[in-house]
Amino acid sequence: MFLPIDLDLLLQAYANGIFPMSDARDDPDTFWIEPEFRAVMPLDGFRLSKSLAKTIRQDRFVVTSDTAFAQVIDTCAAPQAHRQDTWINPDIQEAFCRLHSVGQAHSVECWSEGRLVGGLYGLALGRAFFGESMFSRATNASKVALAWLVARLNIGGFELLDCQFMTDHLESLGAIEMTQGAYLKLLEAALTKSVQSASGVASSGALAPGSVGNWGALDGALGSGIPVSDDFSSTGVSSPGKFILQALTQTS
């Protein structure tokens, strides 16, 4: 039997460096994890290979945000070629869908010919973003999604991108590993000692002005949404991909 996770408890856990996981997709038990070491993606240190930069520059994927959150998390939770099971049980999935409905969980999607081929999702809290999971069904799709995420966080004034555990994939893109103690110092700075509840009311006083990252700032910079063919004269670049590369290289 799956029991709904209390969202305010979930947000407080993330604010204290703890996150939920399950042992398997069909496991009804959810565990609270506080690892000894954490993986973090420095927002000024995303590593762009020549091939990845070319893929982004040529806009090989249509990249959107928050247009298919349920589909992204459902795909992340499904068996994939490199793993047959997952840590996202229905309890965790349902909680993040509720967080998305109140504007605190977000997704980035990569599309090819109208088909969802890559994406990621996570939680925004203060100036921190907690990346939860990603998937790829086309070459470089998850890397493009992560590149767009880093650019979005940079433009939105975020300070921390938590990746939970280090993988070869993340390390190749510039992620670094640190102790939990060092991570908690970065987390505290990004949250400014106050956590917003799922109801939108700060749970320990009002969030300080400017202490919340602006997830939608990238959309405003690109115009209305994230189209793929409009001339973004206000940004001085001719395509979304070129704008993303500009955002990444200016901060790297």
Side-chain angles (χ1 to χ4, degrees):
M1 178 180 179
F2 293 96
L3 299 176
I5 296 175
D6 180 89
L7 296 191
D8 287 340
L9 175 64
L10 183 60
L11 295 179
Q12 288 290 343
Y14 275 92
N16 286 281
I18 303 169
F19 54 87
M21 295 187 75
S22 181
D23 282 338
R25 172 65 172 162
D26 60 355
D27 189 341
D29 295 322
T30 298
F31 305 98
W32 297 101
I33 308 297
E34 187 178 16
E36 184 178 357
F37 294 95
R38 297 293 281 256
V40 169
M41 177 66 71
L43 294 178
D44 61 353
F46 185 78
R47 191 174 298 150
L48 269 171
S49 66
K50 290 182 179 179
S51 61
L52 179 57
K54 182 178 180 181
T55 298
I56 295 171
R57 184 182 304 109
Q58 294 179 345
D59 292 313
R60 293 183 187 175
F61 301 109
V62 177
V63 184
T64 59
S65 169
D66 289 342
T67 64
F69 184 89
Q71 189 177 355
V72 168
I73 191 172
D74 198 50
T75 307
C76 286
Q80 298 183 35
H82 64 284
R83 68 159 200 269
Q84 292 303 307
D85 214 336
T86 177
W87 56 268
I88 308 170
N89 68 12
D91 206 7
I92 295 172
Q93 184 170 351
E94 187 271 342
F96 268 86
C97 284
R98 282 188 286 143
L99 285 172
H100 174 65
S101 71
V102 296
Q104 289 200 254
H106 300 283
S107 60
V108 175
E109 305 94 14
C110 288
W111 306 84
S112 178
E113 299 180 348
R115 185 170 64 94
L116 183 64
V117 295
L120 57 84
Y121 79 95
L123 169 69
L125 194 62
R127 289 182 177 269
F129 188 84
F130 305 87
E132 291 294 298
S133 187
M134 63 174 64
F135 74 94
S136 183
R137 291 181 172 174
T139 302
N140 281 334
S142 64
K143 292 182 180 180
V144 170
L146 185 58
W148 275 72
L149 173 65
V150 171
R152 179 176 290 275
L153 298 181
N154 272 319
I155 292 171
F158 286 81
E159 297 177 358
L160 174 65
L161 173 50
D162 168 40
C163 300
Q164 296 183 346
F165 298 110
M166 180 64 80
T167 65
D168 292 341
H169 179 67
L170 290 170
E171 187 174 25
S172 71
L173 294 169
I176 60 174
E177 192 172 58
M178 62 182 62
T179 66
Q180 177 76 350
Y183 167 80
L184 288 175
K185 292 179 181 178
L186 295 179
L187 180 60
E188 181 180 9
L191 297 183
T192 63
K193 301 181 181 179
S194 185
V195 180
Q196 192 171 1
S197 74
S199 61
V201 179
S203 59
S204 58
L207 285 165
S211 64
V212 180
N214 183 354
W215 177 261
L218 174 61
D219 303 328
L222 289 175
S224 178
I226 309 178
V228 293
S229 60
D230 289 356
D231 181 8
F232 296 102
S233 57
S234 63
T235 66
V237 295
S238 58
S239 75
K242 290 178 182 178
F243 182 80
I244 293 303
L245 289 178
Q246 187 181 85
L248 290 172
T249 56
Q250 284 180 348
T251 56
S252 297

